[in-house]
Each structure stands twice: as structure tokens, then as C-alpha cells.
């Protein structure tokens, strides 16, 4: 039994890390696979992302990490349907299923990145000695990093598969829409950012 588990462990790790290693090919394969595989990969990425935020919020004292995480997911929920609609209208090489698969790969990669960043947050918690700026930084670092990865990966997949100018412009519009929506949600969740900008001005 131990030999069987030991032999299958590398296959398991290869399956889990394959979307990170070759995101474009994985998105195309997921686009042809049953929809449950795409949904499962995206849900697993959100679960890792949420678990990282929960640990940062509860154990490391990262204030408002869950509020910022909700804003990040809402921003993706706002921009993704527009990306799919305009992708169909512009007749991109990536169909709706493949675009959804690309977003699922992005969410999975974002979840892995957030888990890997937790030691950095622990280091900040130890070295900051409870300073206010560090508490705020830990509150927004995971959502911001996760959202950056969750948007950059689909953009990379899109411009890798479809090298046309319309694909590049649509990808940039997608990233810009996510960034603007998230910034708006972030300012609502963290009013102290407006106070800091007023002081700098």
C-alpha cells in the first residue's frame, strides 16, 4: 500500500502543478473537458485563496483581509462576463469554454501563490511589532497579489493562443476593468487609504 501511494505521489503533484507549468495548454484541454473539471479547478483555487486570507486574518492579524478578498472576487465576477461576450463578438480563437477554463487556471494559480506568500506575512507579523501600517499592508497584500495573478494568467493565455491585436486589446481592457472595480471596492472597504492620499497631497 505504501509503495502504491509513493508511486502515485509524483503523479498527483504533476497533476496539481500542470496548470501552473503550462497554463495555455491546460486551458485548451479544460475547454474540451467536462465543465465540472473547470468548475472544480476554479473552486479549488478560490478555496486556497480564501483559506490563505482566513489564516492571515485570524492567525497573523491581517485586518480586513476577507473584505479585500470579497472585493477581488467581485471584480472578477464583473469583468469576466464582459470578456466572454466580447470574445465571442470579436471571434477570438478562444471560445467561451476556453476563456472560463483560462480564468479557472488563473484562480488556481492565484490560490497557490497566496499559500506561498503566507510565510512572508508571518515574517511581517513578527518584525512589524504591531505597527499600524503593517497591519493594513497584511490586510490587502494577499487579495492584491491573488487578483494580480488571477488576471495576469488569463491575459497571458489569451495572447498566447490568439496573437491578434484585438485579443491584446481585449485582454488589456479586461485587466483594466478588474483593476478599476477592485480599486473602487478597496476604497470602500478601507477608508484609511483616502486619508493617506489626502495627507500626501
Amino acid at each position: 500500500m505504501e509503495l502504491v501511494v509513493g508511486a502515485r505521489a509524483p503523479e498527483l503533484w504533476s497533476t496539481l502543478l500542470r496548470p501552473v507549468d503550462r497554463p495555455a495548454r491546460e486551458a485548451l484541454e479544460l475547454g474540451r473537458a467536462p465543465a465540472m473539471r473547470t468548475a472544480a479547478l476554479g473552486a479549488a483555487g478560490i478555496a486556497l485563496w480564501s483559506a490563505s486570507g482566513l489564516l492571515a486574518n485570524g492567525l497573523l492579524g491581517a485586518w480586513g483581509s476577507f473584505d479585500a478578498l470579497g472585493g477581488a472576487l467581485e471584480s472578477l465576477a464583473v469583468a469576466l462576463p464582459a470578456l466572454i461576450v466580447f470574445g465571442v463578438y470579436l471571434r477570438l480563437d478562444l471560445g467561451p469554454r476556453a476563456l472560463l477554463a483560462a480564468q479557472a487556471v488563473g484562480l488556481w494559480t492565484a490560490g497557490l501563490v497566496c499559500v506561498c506568500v503566507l510565510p512572508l506575512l508571518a515574517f511581517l507579523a513578527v518584525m512589524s511589532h504591531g505597527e499600524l501600517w503593517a497591519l493594513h499592508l497584511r490586510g490587502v497584500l494577499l487579495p492584491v497579489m491573488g487578483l494580480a495573478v488571477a488576471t495576469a494568467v488569463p491575459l497571458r493565455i489569451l495572447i498566447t493562443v490568439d496573437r491578434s491585436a484585438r485579443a491584446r486589446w481585449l485582454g488589456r481592457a479586461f485587466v483594466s476593468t478588474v483593476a478599476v472595480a477592485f480599486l473602487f471596492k478597496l476604497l470602500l472597504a478601507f477608508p484609511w487609504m483616502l486619508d493617506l492620499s489626502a495627507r500626501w497631497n
Side-chain angles (χ1 to χ4, degrees):
M1 183 66 180
E2 294 180 358
L3 292 176
V4 173
V5 173
R8 291 182 177 178
E11 297 180 5
L12 176 62
W13 281 111
S14 176
T15 302
L16 293 177
L17 297 179
R18 189 184 304 137
V20 181
D21 182 47
R22 47 175 198 175
R25 183 180 301 179
E26 187 69 15
L28 292 176
E29 291 178 0
L30 280 176
R32 295 188 292 265
M36 285 301 299
R37 282 186 56 188
T38 302
L41 185 65
I46 294 175
L48 284 179
W49 196 355
S50 303
S52 303
L54 180 63
L55 287 174
N57 194 37
L59 300 182
L60 304 178
W63 291 358
S65 181
F66 256 21
D67 294 334
L69 174 61
L73 294 177
E74 288 175 13
S75 303
L76 286 174
V78 167
L80 184 59
L83 174 67
I84 295 174
V85 170
F86 281 102
V88 173
Y89 176 75
L90 295 174
R91 298 181 181 179
L92 300 182
D93 291 341
L94 280 177
R97 285 283 307 277
L99 287 173
L100 287 173
Q103 186 59 75
V105 172
L107 289 171
W108 172 248
T109 308
L112 293 178
V113 168
C114 288
V115 170
C116 295
V117 171
L118 283 177
L120 173 60
L121 293 181
F123 174 77
L124 287 176
V126 172
M127 300 301 295
S128 62
H129 304 294
E131 295 182 10
L132 188 60
W133 68 268
L135 293 174
H136 288 318
L137 177 62
R138 296 203 301 272
V140 299
L141 185 60
L142 273 184
V144 168
M145 291 193 66
L147 185 62
V149 175
T151 53
V153 171
L155 173 62
R156 184 61 184 171
I157 293 173
L158 177 60
I159 63 178
T160 298
V161 177
D162 191 331
R163 298 183 180 274
S164 63
R166 61 181 184 273
R168 290 195 301 271
W169 282 107
L170 181 60
R172 292 168 185 167
F174 168 69
V175 173
S176 301
T177 303
V178 171
V180 170
F182 178 64
L183 181 60
F184 180 73
K185 296 293 295 185
L186 203 61
L187 291 176
L188 291 179
F190 298 92
W192 54 268
M193 289 186 172
L194 292 175
D195 297 335
L196 285 180
S197 61
R199 291 177 186 176
W200 287 342
N201 293 331

